[in-house]
Amino acid sequence: MNQTTVTYFIIKGISDVPQLQAPIFIVVLLLYLMTLGSNMTILHLVCQDPHLHTPMYFFLGNLSILDMSYATVTSHRVLVNFISGHNSVSYVSYIVQFYIFVSLTTNELLILTAMSYDRYVAICNPLCYHMTMSHTVCILLAIFCWVLSFLESLPFPVLVAQYTCYKSNIINHFFCDVIPLLKLTCSDTTMFYILVFSESLFMIIAPFMLTFISYVFIITAILRIQSSSGRRKAFYTCSSHLTVVILLYVSITCQYVRPSAKDSLDDNKMMSLFNTAVVPLLNPLIYSLKNKDVKSALRRKLITSKTLL
């Protein structure tokens, strides 16, 4: 009863209160522009400054590209809906955007895992660092992360695309996420949750365990350093990456790993807004505020710009 085959969805947005639409649009737009500006600055510095042509900053550049893409895929729906006045999206577009969103999230976990391996080699095997983390190895590792993330995520949209019968076509969210979609479908979602469980072993658990093991070896190696200044310097090189890793895994856990009894779509929207609009902005800020090399590169860039002017 009351089931229908839909060809498009209506995205309710962050809030359906008319008086809040303009303030929400301004906040999301500012966060989006700040995310683009900060990540483009990091990417520009990594590409242009010779001092940042190292494996660590190569992966940081990839992370900046991911953050900009991640913010664009999620925030653009709020901005487009407000400007156009239309909050509908076709069924195909919804599935495609959901697929890109999952792929980018998976890729970010893999890139952070690659960065943790880079820090492991730099601290635990410094003599072999330049040979182990050569330019070719870094490029191949980055390509592997990008290709694997999009291949690993492919079963999700393929399976969701088979769900054509829904109780309603009104999505209580502000971007094309799968949680509100599953709450509306009339189809049996057992296979989807089995897929989520199996894929999470490769997409979330495996990267987390590899990162965790890397930091166990890193911390052990740091504690073996005799001088306190040496320990501080070694830990300082990992602090930015470790902060970003903790932030990402905590935000993903808070959003998706919660008891179903407490799983409110309105609460989920607020957590999603933090993950998609705030976290991509915090990543470059963390690296720029906590990293001497990035701050030095930015200072040199500003001095060069003033000289040219």
Side-chain angles (χ1 to χ4, degrees):
M1 297 294 294
N2 299 325
Q3 299 175 2
T4 182
T5 301
V6 302
T7 57
Y8 69 95
F9 293 104
I10 298 175
I11 308 294
K12 290 184 65 175
I14 298 174
S15 173
D16 52 4
V17 179
Q19 293 80 3
L20 294 178
Q21 299 307 309
I24 289 174
F25 170 80
I26 293 173
V27 170
V28 173
L29 178 62
L30 289 176
L31 288 173
Y32 178 59
L33 293 177
M34 291 169 64
T35 298
L36 290 183
S38 57
N39 280 286
M40 287 179 67
T41 300
I42 294 290
L43 186 61
H44 178 74
L45 292 176
V46 169
C47 293
Q48 297 296 322
D49 196 301
H51 296 86
L52 300 184
H53 291 175
T54 63
M56 176 182 175
Y57 297 109
F58 170 77
F59 290 116
L60 179 58
N62 279 265
L63 188 62
S64 293
I65 295 174
L66 279 171
D67 284 333
M68 289 188 288
S69 304
Y70 191 76
T72 300
V73 168
T74 54
S75 298
H76 91 282
R77 179 53 52 189
V78 178
L79 305 178
V80 169
N81 289 351
F82 180 85
I83 294 174
S84 65
H86 301 288
N87 56 352
S88 62
V89 57
S90 69
Y91 185 85
V92 175
S93 296
Y94 195 104
I95 299 298
V96 171
Q97 290 178 36
F98 159 63
Y99 168 60
I100 296 174
F101 168 73
V102 174
S103 300
L104 292 175
T105 303
T106 304
N107 196 3
E108 188 155 7
L109 296 175
L110 293 176
I111 290 293
L112 288 173
T113 304
M115 294 175 74
S116 67
Y117 176 70
D118 170 73
R119 292 299 84 203
Y120 160 76
V121 177
I123 293 176
C124 298
N125 297 288
L127 298 178
C128 302
Y129 180 72
H130 293 290
M131 181 177 64
T132 304
M133 300 300 296
S134 65
H135 184 65
T136 303
V137 171
C138 291
I139 292 176
L140 291 176
L141 194 55
I143 293 174
F144 173 78
C145 292
W146 281 88
V147 173
L148 180 63
S149 62
F150 278 86
L151 290 179
E152 280 285 345
S153 304
L154 192 57
F156 289 103
V158 171
L159 185 57
V160 172
Q162 300 177 22
Y163 302 155
T164 56
C165 185
Y166 293 89
K167 303 171 188 176
S168 171
N169 69 336
I170 300 176
I171 301 293
N172 187 16
H173 216 337
F174 63 92
F175 74 95
C176 304
D177 198 4
V178 71
I179 291 179
L181 195 66
L182 294 179
K183 289 183 177 295
L184 293 178
T185 184
C186 309
S187 305
D188 182 10
T189 58
T190 303
M191 285 301 299
F192 183 86
Y193 287 108
I194 292 175
L195 177 64
V196 169
F197 177 78
S198 59
E199 288 288 329
S200 65
L201 296 177
F202 300 97
M203 296 167 59
I204 300 176
I205 304 300
F208 173 78
M209 291 305 300
L210 290 173
T211 302
F212 178 78
I213 293 171
S214 296
Y215 270 97
V216 168
F217 284 106
I218 289 171
I219 294 173
T220 302
I222 291 175
L223 294 176
R224 289 175 181 170
I225 299 175
Q226 298 297 324
S227 65
S228 58
S229 61
R231 287 195 298 269
R232 283 196 302 269
K233 183 179 179 181
F235 185 76
Y236 189 82
T237 61
C238 303
S239 59
S240 299
H241 174 258
L242 185 59
T243 303
V244 171
V245 168
I246 293 174
L247 177 64
L248 180 61
Y249 277 101
V250 169
S251 61
I252 290 177
T253 302
C254 292
Q255 182 175 353
Y256 293 106
V257 186
R258 295 186 300 173
S260 58
K262 299 180 180 180
D263 190 16
S264 166
L265 284 179
D266 291 329
D267 294 339
N268 186 266
K269 282 197 292 186
M270 293 301 102
M271 195 66 226
S272 297
L273 182 62
F274 176 80
N275 290 347
T276 59
V278 179
V279 172
L281 173 61
L282 291 178
N283 288 346
L285 293 180
I286 291 171
Y287 272 99
S288 60
L289 292 176
K290 294 178 65 66
N291 193 293
K292 292 181 179 179
D293 293 335
V294 174
K295 289 189 288 188
S296 298
L298 182 58
R299 194 178 301 112
R300 286 191 296 269
K301 186 64 177 178
L302 292 175
I303 293 173
T304 302
S305 301
K306 290 181 180 179
T307 303
L308 292 176
L309 292 174

